[in-house]
Amino acid sequence: MCYRLLTLVRVIVVILFFTWRMKHRDSDAMWLWWISVVGDLWFGVSWLLNQLTKLKPRKCIPNLSLLREQFEQQPVDGSSSGLPVLDVFINTVDPVDEPMLYTMNSVLSILATDYPAEKHATYFSDDGGSLVHYEGLLETAKFAALWVPFCRKHCVEPRAPESYFWTKTRLYAGNAPEEFVDDHRCMHVEYEEFKARLDALSTVIAQRSEACNHANTKVRCENATWMLDGTQWQGTWVEPATGHRKGHHPAILQVMLNQPSNEPQLGMPASSDNPLDFSTVDVRLPMLVYISREKRPGYDHQKKAGAMNVQLRVSALLSNAPFIINFDGDHYINNSQAFRAAMCFMLDRRDGDDTAFVQFPQRFDDVDPTDRYCNHNRMFFDATLLGLNGIQGPSFVGTGCMFRRVALYGADPPRWQPDDDSKALQQHSPNIFGTSAAFVNSLPMAADQERSVATPVTLDEAELSDVMTCAYEDSTEWGNGVGWVYNIATEDVVTGFRLHRAGWRSMYCAMEPDAFRGTAPINLTERLYQILRWSGGSLEMFFSRFCPLLAGRRLHPMQRIAYVNMTTYPVSTFFIVMYDLYPVMWLFHGHFYIQKPFQTFALFVAVIIATVEVIGMVEVKWAGLTLLDWFRNEQFYIIGTTGVYPTAMLHILLRSLGLKGVSFKLTAKKLMTAGSARERLAELYDVQWAPLLAPTVVVLAVNVAAIGAAVGKAVAWRWSTVQVAEAATGLTFNVWMLLLLYPFALGIMGLWSKRPYVLFALLLAAVAATASVYVVLVGSVPDFLSSRDLGSIPSSKLV
């Protein structure tokens, strides 16, 4: 109630402000006055539209005990659980940019999650076709035979070993405390050996291939890459060759772990060959499949979206689970109850059948304690998405999201399609889903969430290879009305929008401990490139066939407004940059009024700013955030609008002219070291200079110069106390801008940012230097400023 009342008060103040400005059109530069009015109008309207989508926040908590009561009290068809079958997708491309240790930890956490082993299958998509990933997955499958039973025996959390062994303190929740210390020590040793094997894979594969190439002199493949079984690797070779390089290799599929039986299988007691006692533990492992789709020159492989659509087809032929959850290679399961939590919403008897996906917030491990670059983005996840939960649901944000398979296939939600989903899916399916009869025949089963076990693997390799070819999607609806959407940088948001536009709803699920955690780009440049991809893709969406304004009646009006905000926010950069550069106008003038009378204008601005800040405080309270979360969000919004969003605007301008546009860089992740926290955050102090940094550097310099100019004029012109007080109102803006750009300034300092006082010393020195220039110029050039300017208000005043 307080939140809505404050919103109403601010709306009234903003209306009075605009009414007053239109009645007092008085300025030292009317063209700037009109720009400022249009800018204020833009911010006022966009703020109002953003607030409208937050007026009805809905916090939903999964009821895990009720889920167990309804689905796991009685055995079903020989299974110990009535939970639906679930397919898990993991995507990775490069073992360097996406360190393989993180990826394999993600796989291990999924295999060990608290969900029936016979009820979920994991599909590992290696879009680079690397033998390192293939053999790394083999090693992971072997290590999982120890790690998964260990987690079950001792109720380990989290179940990614790298994070588990890094955690210093933990509460024991297992049933064998007397064995835990020995088991933990033994498991730690096994894990270190596993890591050593992963680290050595690149070297081992290169040495093996070199030896095999020398031994096989009759085979004219000098640079071939060889597998353990003595056959040539079909994917990308260590030294690329025709048919074996990135973007040019056949499809590869291998079932690493077969579908387990429905009955629990106890392990062996401890022995010389079995270091841990698993005689009372179920040692079954879920199904694990390696996939590397076909790549051919001349085809647009559609990056991550294309890889996920291949996973969608392959999984339909193998397990065909009615629900799917996707992960990036650097995310792992932090809470073993996460799959069950999402199922609470999917199986909800009230509106679960109309729920297309359940989105979890993104959380990260390696972010510095103060979250300098707003990696956690808590305001977006825990305020904006929570607000959307009360309308039609949050948007899809790329990872940690559970989907209903038939929704991805393009089926309508039950409330909009009374007919059976399976019948609707089969209509004109060859033109929609492709020519695979096996895949088309799998469609009816995809809608059956009552199915207790996965379909046995009985298909031959030809059927599986067919759906992994480059040409399979030609003349079909894949990437448009079926699966993940193509030809846009933010395929995640657009895919979620397509489902909402069809009438589906979604749910936002936050839980403690966090469901999933991942690795964030803590280098400033990498973080800005990530924001560039998001902002550029958002603008692409608005100017595409997926424009929210063109959606049909199934999209909730407030949801439409939310998507408009999510796709047009980079436009704000035009006005923000203009405001940031206004000090240039008065560096060479005694005073510069954008709006007169200034006193009334300043009062209005103060009240408007105060109300928005108070509303922000209320948001922080009901979203469960901290003031630091809110302030980091404010800071990185300004950093983004000054440096990143202009590039995004340039991208959409080039695209509208039929040109290629800006190339979006894949965010690279670095492997954390096992040393101290300072060593683990070493990337934070790397400086990677890029054109993306230049605009913000200019804005920073202009505001520092404006403060210096004001100080210089105060000294040279011997201002009175009244004049200094008046100048303080203008300086407030410049100082506030410097505070907002503080993380950026630290980022470009590199290792010197470990000592923040150095930054303050540099700023003071820059201000003193600018002030000295003014004093010297005024003293040496009498006519430097007119007599009218000498008694005027300081140049740094923003009015």
Side-chain angles (χ1 to χ4, degrees), residues 197-257:
R197 292 194 296 272
L198 289 184
D199 287 341
L201 275 178
S202 296
T203 302
V204 169
I205 291 172
Q207 292 175 347
R208 179 205 307 151
S209 299
E210 183 179 358
C212 289
N213 286 328
H214 281 93
N216 292 275
T217 55
K218 296 181 180 180
V219 181
R220 299 182 62 83
C221 292
E222 297 180 357
N223 298 325
T225 297
W226 296 80
M227 302 174 65
L228 281 169
D229 60 4
T231 59
Q232 290 183 5
W233 174 241
Q234 291 181 291
T236 303
W237 285 359
V238 175
E239 297 184 26
T242 302
H244 296 285
R245 59 168 57 97
K246 285 185 178 181
H248 190 191
H249 59 77
I252 308 169
L253 186 142
Q254 179 64 48
V255 178
M256 301 286 189
L257 295 172

Side-chain angles (χ1 to χ4, degrees), residues 688-739:
Q688 299 176 6
W689 288 101
L692 209 61
L693 304 178
T696 313
V697 171
V698 172
V699 171
L700 189 67
V702 166
N703 281 277
V704 171
I707 297 175
V711 174
K713 291 176 181 179
V715 173
W717 301 338
R718 299 178 182 178
W719 280 346
S720 65
T721 304
V722 175
Q723 288 176 310
V724 171
E726 289 180 350
T729 59
L731 290 174
T732 300
F733 170 80
N734 304 117
V735 173
W736 179 243
M737 285 303 304
L738 293 181
L739 286 174

Side-chain angles (χ1 to χ4, degrees), residues 599-630:
Q599 290 77 8
T600 307
F601 174 77
L603 179 61
F604 267 117
V605 170
V607 173
I608 289 173
I609 292 176
T611 53
V612 76
E613 302 305 337
V614 172
I615 290 172
M617 298 300 101
V618 177
E619 279 188 22
V620 164
K621 183 176 181 180
W622 62 253
L625 306 179
T626 65
L627 291 177
L628 181 61
D629 293 324
W630 168 78

